[in-house]
Amino acid sequence: MSKLETAGTPDAYAEERKDLLAALRSRGVRDERVLKALEAVPRERFVEPARADLAYADQALPIACGQTISQPYVVAAMTEALAVAPHHKVLEIGTGSGYQAALLAHLAAKVVTIERYPTLAEAARERLQALGLKNVIVLARDGALGAPEHAPFDRIIVTAAAAKVPPALLDQLAEGGILVAPIGSAGGVQDLVRLEKRGGKIERQEFMAVRFVPLLPGVAETH
Ligand code: SAH
């Protein structure tokens, strides 16, 4: 019997979760709020049931629709770079499993997350609801257009790779806001970029190399 089946309590994975947190700390993740959120969100519920035993390995895993749930270290580093405060409204592009959105829900006042596969959006919505996370809205649409009806956003995180940041997202970023995104060639290696909007200008920093699935145009029809 797998741990997922024995898990009436979320704590069949407590020890593995603790080991992962220790590994993330030793790789340099320092933000205590981020670490606490990582401790609070059961990653095993966001991976395919058949891969639950790998839920706390520090690696990306395949999910439905040919997409991936990102590697915990990359999620932690991006979330740390985003510097989310409890009063923030956050936009995520690329809901995928909903794991990053769940972390953000623990850190922010409100989260809007956008996914182009309706199937993934629905599954993420159900997971977030089952965890009692009520401050997240999941939208099935093209994330490159953002969510103007909910803008401006204090923080924006893009979890799919693009050659450049979609202009609509920069427009929807509040003054003083921060945007984190993997920028570079789809199918290759990208740079994680942190943009900060100050006095109408954009300051740019690059902080690590990553490999994300591509940001694709439009809403997916086939799933
Ligand atoms: N943040 C996710 C992992 C992201 S994988 C998690 O925590 O599990 C990248 C996701 O971006 C995929 O699910 C992919 O379908 C989605 N995506 C790609 N292009 C998109 C677009 N234009 N708008 C919205 N979502 C998009």
Side-chain angles (χ1 to χ4, degrees):
M1 199 184 285
S2 82
K3 281 194 197 139
L4 202 62
E5 291 168 84
T6 56
T9 65
D11 278 339
Y13 290 88
E15 207 155 305
E16 287 175 49
R17 195 176 301 120
K18 223 191 261 165
D19 289 349
L20 174 62
L21 280 164
L24 295 177
R25 275 181 200 276
S26 72
R27 285 194 71 177
V29 180
R30 289 281 170 268
D31 186 322
E32 289 301 327
R33 288 190 75 233
V34 171
L35 289 161
K36 223 172 144 194
L38 286 159
E39 196 162 6
V41 177
R43 193 170 184 264
E44 70 276 12
R45 299 233 209 150
F46 292 84
V47 303
E48 304 270 281
R51 312 218 185 226
D53 289 346
L54 285 174
Y56 293 96
D58 191 10
Q59 64 183 67
L61 292 170
I63 57 172
C65 305
Q67 304 304 313
T68 53
I69 175 172
S70 310
Q71 179 190 348
Y73 174 67
V74 173
V75 172
M78 286 177 86
T79 310
E80 201 167 40
L82 207 59
V84 180
H87 64 279
H88 281 163
K89 184 162 44 158
V90 183
L91 175 66
E92 179 194 24
I93 311 304
T95 312
S97 67
Y99 179 69
Q100 173 78 69
L103 294 174
L104 294 170
H106 279 271
L107 294 167
K110 183 174 174 183
V111 180
V112 177
T113 179
I114 307 182
E115 171 56 53
R116 69 186 286 277
Y117 283 99
T119 317
L120 289 177
E122 187 49 34
R125 212 175 271 132
E126 279 168 19
R127 291 183 183 115
L128 295 164
Q129 204 174 3
L131 290 173
L133 297 169
K134 296 190 176 22
N135 57 339
V136 190
I137 299 174
V138 183
L139 301 173
R141 59 162 85 154
D142 182 1
L145 305 177
E149 73 277 30
H150 296 286
F153 296 96
D154 303 294
R155 300 288 185 264
I156 299 180
I157 179 169
V158 184
T159 64
K164 63 179 205 132
V165 176
L169 301 184
L170 285 177
D171 290 345
Q172 292 170 31
L173 187 63
E175 169 61 26
I178 295 173
L179 180 152
V180 172
I183 299 297
S185 64
V189 174
Q190 305 94 33
D191 286 316
L192 270 184
V193 169
R194 180 185 189 271
L195 303 180
E196 195 163 351
K197 204 186 228 185
R198 289 238 163 259
K201 283 203 207 133
I202 303 289
E203 288 167 21
R204 176 183 170 123
Q205 269 177 298
E206 288 168 12
F207 62 99
M208 70 190 251
V210 286
R211 220 176 249 279
F212 271 84
V213 295
L215 186 77
L216 297 172
V219 175
E221 304 279 344
T222 49
H223 291 269

